[in-house]
């Protein structure tokens, strides 16, 4: 076949190009990288033919697995008909997807969709909409959160990734509050402890609203379930309590569904697991199954009607891009036609008890959290003291070693601090899931012996 050409590179060449020319997000540059040649279903392969099970759905976005042919065909057909038209024109997939999303969220409360390119600018534009609609400046958001990497969404984010944006000072009118992490805060998952945790954190938030001045607060922006910071399933009643505080004080509730949405929790939107209805819903990732970048903001009827008589202060060249909307329409319809939510709930009955069993059996597992196929383990070096494997904003070799050991076994996932995410594509079969959980079990046994006191 001769020497490899640019059109027929080796895995080493693909990796070298990445290392030398690509600025990789959230990483020191030039380090080792997996060169991926192809992907299908829940798996991807490197150039040496090694198979990896994608147990994080990449960045919790490839919800329908890789190369879903229904979505791929929808993109192809749209590309042949019309690749692009500006947002001010009506085009079939844009309107149809907006209507479908409103119906899924609830037509009794929601009305319109503003389309974006991804999660960061979904949250960015939701903040703009909330401020303009209410005439109030402040946005409250959680310390244990991540909302994006544009300026506003980064300031709203609570974890340490916001620090780079705060060089020279934090942005005005972004205020953080501490949201619960039941295990790390010293509580147990008993009804009594969860109730105590909920009361404590709602009381703190109520006081903070009072001190900030409710008349100055436009919105509370919250992930329906905190994702990147460890799939923090809130204690019972907490989300409803936040919604009630918003309603009582005329504050909008923005539910960030960027990672949690599109069947990940067994509901099309994760806020639908709680007894509340937000004013704005932001989404991205799973709306197209990550085939084409797309995000958006679903607005309530009241907010939508406001912008009938007031110009919308948001605009993007690629808002509602036809190719993205065609992919989003096909993917969203696929979730419904194949009842992916029911499949996810069925597999939760496998994943959740297995992970909870790991927490009982493994010295390195402090807590397991799972809703649908949205799960994480908190890893510790000492269960009695709850000493974390990697405390907040610190680095050591323990967690990287655990992830490396999983990759050696063909189990690919990611995590932050002491959290190890288990968020596979939603089309995974029970057999595939059990096979990968066995690998995780073996690696946790290794971690018990290697790191635990």
């Amino acid at each position: 076949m001769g020497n490899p050409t640019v059109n027929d590179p080796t895995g080493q060449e693909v990796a070298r190009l990445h290392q030398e020319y690509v600025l990789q997000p959230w990483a020191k540059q030039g380090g080792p990288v997996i060169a991926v040649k192809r992907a299908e279903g829940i798996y991807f392969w490197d150039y040496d033919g090694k198979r990896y099970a994608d147990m994080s759905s990449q960045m919790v976005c490839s919800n329908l697995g890789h190369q879903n042919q229904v979505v791929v065909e929808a993109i192809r057909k749209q590309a042949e008909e019309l690749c692009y038209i500006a947002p001010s024109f009506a085009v079939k997939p844009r309107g149809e997807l907006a209507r479908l999303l409103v119906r899924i969220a609830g037509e009794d409360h929601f009305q319109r969709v503003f389309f974006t390119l991804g999660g960061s600018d979904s949250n960015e534009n939701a903040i703009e909409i909330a401020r303009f609609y209410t005439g109030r400046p402040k946005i409250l958001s959680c310390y244990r959160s991540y909302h994006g990497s544009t300026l506003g969404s980064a300031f709203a984010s609570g974890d340490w990734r916001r620090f780079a944006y705060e060089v020279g000072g934090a942005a005005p009118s972004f205020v953080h509050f501490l949201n619960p992490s039941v295990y790390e805060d010293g509580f147990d998952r008993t009804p009594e402890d969860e109730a105590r945790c909920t009361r404590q954190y709602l009381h703190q938030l109520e006081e903070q609203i009072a001190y900030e001045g409710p008349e100055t607060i436009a919105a509370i922006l919250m992930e329906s379930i905190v994702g990147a910071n460890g799939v923090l399933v809130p204690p019972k009643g907490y989300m409803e309590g936040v919604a009630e505080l918003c309603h009582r004080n005329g504050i909008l509730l923005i539910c960030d569904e960027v990672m949690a949405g599109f069947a990940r929790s067994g509901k099309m939107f994760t806020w639908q697991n709680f007894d509340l209805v937000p004013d704005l819903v932001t989404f991205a990732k799973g709306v197209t199954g990550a085939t084409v970048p797309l995000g958006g903001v679903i607005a309530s009827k009241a907010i939508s009607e406001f912008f009938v008589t007031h110009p919308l202060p948001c605009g993007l060249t690629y808002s509602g891009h036809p190719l993205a909307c065609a992919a989003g329409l096909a993917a969203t319809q696929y979730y419904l036609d194949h009842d992916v939510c029911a499949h996810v709930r069925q597999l939760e009955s496998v994943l959740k008890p297995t992970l909870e069993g790991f927490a009982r059996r493994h010295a390195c597992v402090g807590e397991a959290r799972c809703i649908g196929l949205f799960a994480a383990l908190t890893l510790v070096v000492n269960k009695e003291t709850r000493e974390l494997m990697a405390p907040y904003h610190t680095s050591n070799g323990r967690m990287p070693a655990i992830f490396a050991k999983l990759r050696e076994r063909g189990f690919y996932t990611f995590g932050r601090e002491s959290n190890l995410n288990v968020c596979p594509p939603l089309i995974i079969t029970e057999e595939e899931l059990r096979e990968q959980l066995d690998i995780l079990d073996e690696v946790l046994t290794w971690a018990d012996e290697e790191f635990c006191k």
Side-chain angles (χ1 to χ4, degrees):
M1 294 179 63
N3 294 327
T5 66
V6 173
N7 294 320
D8 185 24
T10 64
Q12 291 87 349
E13 176 64 9
V14 171
R16 185 187 67 80
L17 290 172
H18 182 93
Q19 290 164 327
E20 293 187 12
Y21 296 103
V22 175
L23 278 171
Q24 181 175 323
W26 311 121
K28 294 179 180 179
Q29 305 306 306
V33 63
I34 299 171
V36 177
K37 188 170 186 179
R38 68 184 185 93
E40 183 179 351
I42 74 160
Y43 302 107
F44 60 92
W45 288 261
D46 66 19
Y47 278 72
D48 295 323
K50 181 174 180 177
R51 189 187 77 174
Y52 298 83
D54 189 358
M55 294 302 288
S56 65
S57 303
Q58 292 300 290
M59 302 179 81
V60 197
C61 54
S62 299
N63 286 11
L64 296 177
H66 297 279
Q67 300 301 111
N68 180 290
Q69 289 305 298
V70 172
V71 182
V72 169
E73 178 61 15
I75 297 168
R76 185 193 65 79
K77 289 178 66 175
Q78 185 61 43
E80 290 178 349
E81 181 176 307
L82 176 68
C83 281
Y84 175 75
I85 197 75
S88 56
F89 293 91
V91 61
K92 181 181 177 183
R94 187 182 293 154
E96 288 189 349
L97 178 57
R99 178 177 62 181
L100 184 57
L101 293 173
V102 166
R103 287 178 174 174
I104 291 169
E107 289 180 294
D108 56 333
H109 183 75
F110 295 98
Q111 172 97 38
R112 288 186 170 89
V113 179
F114 176 75
F115 287 111
T116 69
L117 297 177
S120 295
D121 49 334
S122 294
N123 287 320
E124 188 87 35
N125 284 280
I127 289 168
E128 291 182 33
I129 290 169
R131 283 175 163 169
F132 195 74
Y133 175 74
T134 62
R136 300 174 177 182
K138 292 180 183 176
I139 302 294
L140 268 61
S141 56
C142 305
Y143 275 112
R144 291 161 171 149
S145 74
Y146 178 71
H147 295 291
S149 58
T150 54
L151 201 60
S153 64
F155 281 127
S157 296
D159 71 35
W160 58 264
R161 286 175 288 184
R162 78 183 192 278
F163 293 168
Y165 298 85
E166 293 180 347
V167 173
S173 300
F174 285 91
V175 180
H176 293 101
F177 62 94
L178 192 61
N179 50 321
S181 175
V182 174
Y183 178 80
E184 291 188 29
D185 293 340
F187 297 96
D188 293 317
R189 288 282 180 178
T190 63
E192 296 78 14
D193 254 20
E194 286 209 25
R196 188 162 57 90
C197 183
T198 294
R199 286 195 302 271
Q200 174 178 312
Y201 278 93
L202 288 178
H203 175 69
Q204 290 173 356
L205 178 57
E206 184 174 22
E207 283 196 320
Q208 191 163 357
I209 290 171
Y211 278 109
E212 289 293 337
E215 70 282 357
T216 70
I217 302 170
I220 292 180
L221 169 60
M222 295 185 70
E223 294 169 270
S224 300
I225 286 180
V226 173
N229 283 269
V231 190
L232 302 181
V233 179
K236 187 174 182 181
Y238 177 73
M239 291 298 293
E240 290 86 352
V242 173
E244 196 278 326
L245 285 173
C246 287
H247 179 75
R248 190 195 317 164
N249 291 286
I251 299 168
L252 299 182
L253 176 61
I254 307 171
C255 279
D256 178 344
E257 291 274 336
V258 171
M259 186 176 283
F262 293 91
R264 176 58 59 183
S265 68
K267 300 277 190 179
M268 282 298 286
F269 292 114
T270 289
W271 63 262
Q272 293 170 329
N273 289 281
F274 308 114
D275 185 17
L276 61 87
V277 181
D279 300 285
L280 294 166
V281 177
T282 62
F283 65 89
K285 292 184 183 283
V287 65
T288 68
T291 55
V292 181
L294 181 67
V297 184
I298 307 174
S300 69
K301 285 184 174 181
I303 294 171
S304 297
E305 286 305 306
F306 176 83
F307 288 111
V308 171
T309 54
H310 299 77
L312 182 71
C314 310
L316 297 165
T317 298
Y318 297 124
S319 176
H321 194 289
L323 290 181
C325 285
L329 183 60
T332 304
Q333 197 62 56
Y334 189 97
Y335 290 110
L336 301 177
D337 292 345
H338 293 79
D339 203 354
V340 174
C341 286
H343 179 68
V344 168
R345 291 193 295 271
Q346 179 186 351
L347 289 188
E348 179 190 316
S349 67
V350 175
L351 180 60
K352 186 174 183 179
T354 301
L355 295 182
E356 289 174 346
F358 292 169
R360 290 190 296 271
R361 292 192 291 105
H362 286 288
C364 69
V365 181
E367 185 187 44
R369 298 173 296 280
C370 178
I371 179 170
L373 290 177
F374 202 21
L377 302 175
T378 294
L379 301 188
V380 297
V381 294
N382 188 313
K383 285 180 104 164
E384 288 188 10
T385 63
R386 301 192 183 188
E387 180 183 347
L388 298 173
M389 195 73 72
Y392 177 75
H393 204 203
T394 63
S395 60
N396 59 52
R398 296 170 187 150
M399 292 300 292
I402 293 168
F403 289 119
K405 187 69 70 172
L406 286 167
R407 286 195 299 274
E408 287 176 13
R409 301 293 308 276
F411 183 116
Y412 179 84
T413 191
F414 74 95
R416 303 219 26 262
E417 265 76 53
S418 299
N419 297 306
L420 189 156
N421 290 359
V422 183
C423 306
L426 308 183
I427 48 86
I428 193 171
T429 66
E430 182 175 340
E431 181 181 4
E432 290 169 335
L433 179 59
R434 290 188 183 277
E435 178 185 10
Q436 297 307 314
L437 289 174
D438 286 345
I439 293 172
L440 178 58
D441 193 6
E442 293 168 7
V443 172
L444 292 173
T445 298
W446 170 85
D448 290 341
E449 300 168 354
E450 194 75 12
F451 300 122
C452 291
K453 299 176 181 180

